[in-house]
Amino acid sequence: MTNIQFAKRLQPLKSNVFADMDRAKAVALAAGREVIDLSLGSSDLPAEAHVIEAIAQSLSDRSTHGYLLFNGTLGFREAAASWYEQKFGIKVDPQTEVLPLIGSQEGTAHLPLALLNPGDFALLLDPGYPSHAGGVYLASGQIYPMPLLAENGFLPVFADIPAPVLAQSRMMVLSYPHNPTSAIAPLSFFQEAVAFCQQHNLALVHDFPYVDLVFGETGDWGLGTRDWVMNSSQSPIPNTQSLVPSILQADPEKSISIEFFTLSKSYNMGGFRIGYAIGNAQLINALRQVKAAVDFNQYRGILNGAIAALTGPQAGVKSAVATFQGRRDAFISALHRIGWNVPTPKATMYIWAKLPSPWSQNSIEFCTQLVKQTGVAVSPGAGFGKCGEGYVRFALVHEPPLLETAVERIAQFLH
């Protein structure tokens, strides 16, 4: 057999937290276990009817069946720009500052190809989402992990980054509300990040999938959704005091910043693979050049559905937020009842839980044994980075009764 030589850049891609857990789930299923899968943040809620209808109507339109080039995506780019302007009060040029993506993961994985030369550093969160690191490896870049510690609110400390690393760095990637820790970041933090990146000539990348999945302290929704307040003339203006600001609110001139949004979470369209990049025109153009070498665009009908989601009724977003808040509360209460005290997150669809003894430094083994013995699948913190060790991530992708059943099985496993 021919000895095919593969690129060295594949070496760090061999381990993936989701692929590892997928294999462990397959073993449990083969052994006859009923699996309760809390390992993958894929919403179980359906897309809204008006979104599905927009896609369905597109199917019978033969003009939607061909390749879709950039100019043909203008309607979607205009909808995205309008959504941002209404939500955050940021003026966006749909011609030069918006780029459709096959989910935000495509953007975060491809942007390093436009920014990094071999050996350049990217500053990434640790723990962080795996595709952020994967894109850097594909670009033959180096990663400097910025530790996220509980005592710092899971925010990085920029002053701790060594000067030699900064001299060789080209980009910083942030993501708040954060996966996996569910931490949120105030506008003041983003302003600090913008100033830091401007000082050191870094592109500032913000992955923003959980902009809407933010929970009010009094059971209300909307702190992360399209809120409105009244100005002195009693006309509505966007509420820029959201718990989850856009990076563009800290960099309104879009001097160095690019933000990635996906319709997977807010609009339950994960399988449709639709998102967009928004921000600095030079960064958008560079990413567009990479994208042009890799693909065209999605089916036009998918973009029509996305336009319907962004411009149509937002009641589905409100309902999804309420659903995940109810699941959060039920799951946290169940964990507390079995003596596993974890903090209540203000955002995302995840619970980030510090492991009890004797598993406190072996999250992978905990998750492997848990799914093997109980059928409950969760994600090991170590799979998100070195600083994730000692934690596990639960995805709230089932209704409360099944979540409570999962906790009952976990209690049996722990005792």
Side-chain angles (χ1 to χ4, degrees), residues 155 158 174-177 184-197 204-208 242-251 256-257 259:
L155 300 176
F158 301 138
L174 302 175
S175 184
Y176 291 95
I184 60 175
L187 183 59
S188 58
F189 168 80
F190 288 123
Q191 290 168 334
E192 179 188 356
V194 168
F196 183 87
C197 290
L204 181 52
V205 182
H206 187 227
D207 197 7
F208 204 24
S242 168
L243 277 177
V244 289
S246 162
I247 198 71
L248 301 184
Q249 289 175 282
D251 184 16
I256 53 161
S257 304
E259 194 156 64

Side-chain angles (χ1 to χ4, degrees), residues 129-281:
Y129 192 64
S131 78
H132 298 166
V136 176
Y137 290 133
L138 288 175
S140 298
Q142 300 186 73
I143 291 172
Y144 179 81
M146 299 184 291
L148 304 185
L149 306 178
E151 54 262 38
N152 296 326
F154 296 110
L155 300 176
V157 179
F158 301 138
D160 291 344
I161 303 171
V165 170
L166 278 174
Q168 205 174 335
S169 296
R170 300 292 175 264
M171 62 186 292
M172 175 189 288
V173 181
L174 302 175
S175 184
Y176 291 95
H178 185 242
N179 177 14
T181 70
S182 75
I184 60 175
L187 183 59
S188 58
F189 168 80
F190 288 123
Q191 290 168 334
E192 179 188 356
V194 168
F196 183 87
C197 290
Q198 287 173 334
Q199 178 185 353
H200 296 284
N201 298 314
L202 304 175
L204 181 52
V205 182
H206 187 227
D207 197 7
F208 204 24
Y210 301 99
V211 52
D212 289 309
L213 289 186
V214 183
F215 312 119
E217 294 303 308
T218 58
D220 60 321
W221 79 290
L223 289 172
T225 55
R226 196 177 303 187
D227 280 349
W228 300 92
V229 295
M230 306 301 289
N231 62 17
S232 57
S233 63
Q234 293 301 299
S235 59
I237 59 174
N239 180 3
T240 58
Q241 300 303 312
S242 168
L243 277 177
V244 289
S246 162
I247 198 71
L248 301 184
Q249 289 175 282
D251 184 16
E253 294 81 20
K254 309 180 192 75
S255 63
I256 53 161
S257 304
I258 185 170
E259 194 156 64
F260 293 100
F261 178 75
T262 174
L263 279 77
S264 297
K265 312 302 181 183
S266 299
Y267 298 100
N268 307 313
M269 295 178 68
F272 296 92
R273 308 311 305 134
I274 178 65
Y276 58 86
I278 196 162
N280 177 274

Side-chain angles (χ1 to χ4, degrees), residues 8 11 44 61 63 92 139 145 175 247 270 277 330 336 371 383:
K8 293 179 180 178
Q11 292 300 317
D44 60 313
D61 179 0
S63 71
V92 177
S175 184
I247 198 71
H336 287 180
V371 71

Side-chain angles (χ1 to χ4, degrees), residues 41-122:
S42 178
S43 176
D44 60 313
L45 304 179
E48 289 295 293
H50 67 280
V51 174
I52 301 302
E53 180 61 23
I55 298 172
Q57 289 184 1
S58 302
L59 292 172
S60 58
D61 179 0
R62 61 186 295 175
S63 71
T64 70
H65 295 181
Y67 289 126
L68 180 62
L69 301 180
F70 179 76
N71 287 336
T73 69
L74 180 59
F76 172 74
R77 287 182 278 125
E78 290 175 334
S82 176
W83 187 90
Y84 249 77
E85 184 172 352
Q86 292 181 46
K87 190 176 187 67
F88 296 114
I90 302 293
K91 188 70 176 177
V92 177
D93 184 351
Q95 291 285 5
T96 61
E97 297 177 338
V98 183
L99 182 69
L101 297 171
I102 306 175
S104 61
Q105 181 167 324
E106 181 218 336
T108 58
H110 281 160
L111 186 61
L113 292 170
L115 289 171
L116 302 180
N117 289 313
D120 286 344
F121 272 100

